[in-house]
């Protein structure tokens, strides 16, 4: 939990840092300035909420309860959030299929899992030999909902292919902690699903995050 929160706080801090840098520029208008300030405030609120989660955890309380919500809203929020990150700011992130399925979710954790996958995809696509592209699909089967994230980056480095989901496994990034995929999978598992690497080659990579459509049994048994 402490790792998860520190990891997400680093992302919020990157957004604050980038916006603060923008604010220094003399050529920005009042409305852009107001937007940048708003984004800083939102990032601070988000960090405060995460610290609250940590305190909750430390005092022995359970994870957030799962709430019945439309998953597409979470996907849209994760895309908007990754756009604040310097590596996502200029990236073309397109949404293909966007199922309106609902499920019992912890929206904040799920958003953070999808955010981590999207950020990895943006960072990989930035190294593409073509125009960088990230695509997201939200689809549903009989029992599961799938968030599929595609990028046209150079693929998973061979050195980390087998250990990708282990903590602290990172490659090719100056400040990677190697926790993004570990946490994303853990969060998906808490929703009765998982995160899987579907495909990866020199032309691109596809990850799928799945979650159970019906109320996850662990929660019901409480
Ligand atoms: N879409 C992708 N394309 C290519 N390589 C990827 C992709 N996603 C993950 N990887 C590789 O897997 C490694 C582990 O990813 P993970 O998200 O767990 O950690 P990280 O991105 O290095 O650090 P962080 O903790 O900041 O997320 C990455 O360092 C990268 O080498
Ligand atoms: Mg990552």
């Amino acid at each position: 939990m402490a790792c998860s929160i520190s990891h997400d706080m680093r992302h919020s801090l990157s957004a604050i840092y980038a916006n603060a840098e923008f604010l220094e520029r003399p050529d920005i208008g009042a409305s852009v300035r107001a937007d940048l300030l708003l984004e800083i405030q939102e990032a601070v609120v988000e960090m405060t909420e995460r610290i609250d989660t940590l305190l909750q955890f430390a005092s022995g309380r359970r994870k957030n309860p799962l709430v019945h919500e439309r998953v597409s809203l979470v996907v849209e929020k994760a895309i908007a959030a990754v756009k604040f990150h310097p590596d996502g700011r200029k990236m073309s992130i397109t949404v293909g299929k966007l199922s309106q399925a609902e499920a019992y979710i912890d929206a904040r954790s799920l958003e953070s899992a999808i955010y981590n996958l999207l950020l990895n995809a943006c960072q990989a696509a930035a190294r593409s030999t073509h125009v960088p592209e990230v695509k997201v699909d939200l689809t549903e089967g009989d029992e599961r909902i799938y968030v599929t994230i595609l990028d046209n980056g150079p693929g998973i480095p061979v050195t980390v292919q087998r250990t990708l989901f282990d903590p602290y496994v990172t490659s090719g990034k100056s400040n990677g902690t190697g926790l993004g995929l570990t946490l994303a999978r853990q969060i998906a598992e808490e929703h009765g699903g998982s995160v899987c690497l579907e495909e990866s080659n020199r032309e691109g990579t596809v990850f799928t995050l799945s979650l159970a459509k019906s109320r996850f049994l662990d929660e019901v048994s409480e």
Side-chain angles (χ1 to χ4, degrees), residues 61-200:
R61 281 183 54 195
R62 251 199 125 266
K63 292 188 282 277
N64 296 329
L66 303 188
V67 176
H68 199 237
E69 274 189 57
R70 198 180 287 172
V71 179
S72 61
L73 297 179
V74 180
V75 172
E76 282 165 348
K77 278 183 85 175
I79 294 173
V82 92
K83 289 271 184 191
F84 289 149
H85 191 283
D87 296 336
R89 199 178 282 278
K90 290 186 193 137
M91 190 60 60
S92 145
I93 304 178
T94 56
V95 180
K97 299 176 194 123
L98 194 63
S99 154
Q100 296 303 304
E102 296 184 359
Y104 284 92
I105 53 173
D106 170 356
R108 186 162 290 281
S109 299
L110 194 61
E111 182 190 324
S112 134
I114 298 170
Y115 176 99
N116 284 319
L117 293 172
L118 279 172
L119 185 60
N120 280 348
C122 290
Q123 290 166 336
R127 286 182 282 125
S128 172
T129 48
H130 304 281
V131 178
E133 258 179 28
V134 172
K135 195 176 164 233
V136 186
D137 281 316
L138 177 63
T139 53
E140 61 180 304
D142 287 342
E143 291 175 6
R144 274 161 206 273
I145 295 172
Y146 303 95
V147 184
T148 309
I149 294 160
L150 303 88
D151 68 72
N152 65 348
I156 309 281
V158 184
T159 47
V160 298
Q161 257 168 22
R162 283 160 184 248
T163 49
L164 211 52
F165 291 95
D166 294 348
Y168 309 110
V169 169
T170 177
S171 169
K173 300 184 189 185
S174 53
N175 59 354
T177 54
L179 282 173
L181 285 175
T182 315
L183 294 169
R185 179 175 269 182
Q186 200 173 309
I187 291 165
E189 285 172 354
E190 285 163 11
H191 287 80
S194 191
V195 173
C196 297
L197 172 64
E198 302 292 341
E199 206 182 322
S200 184

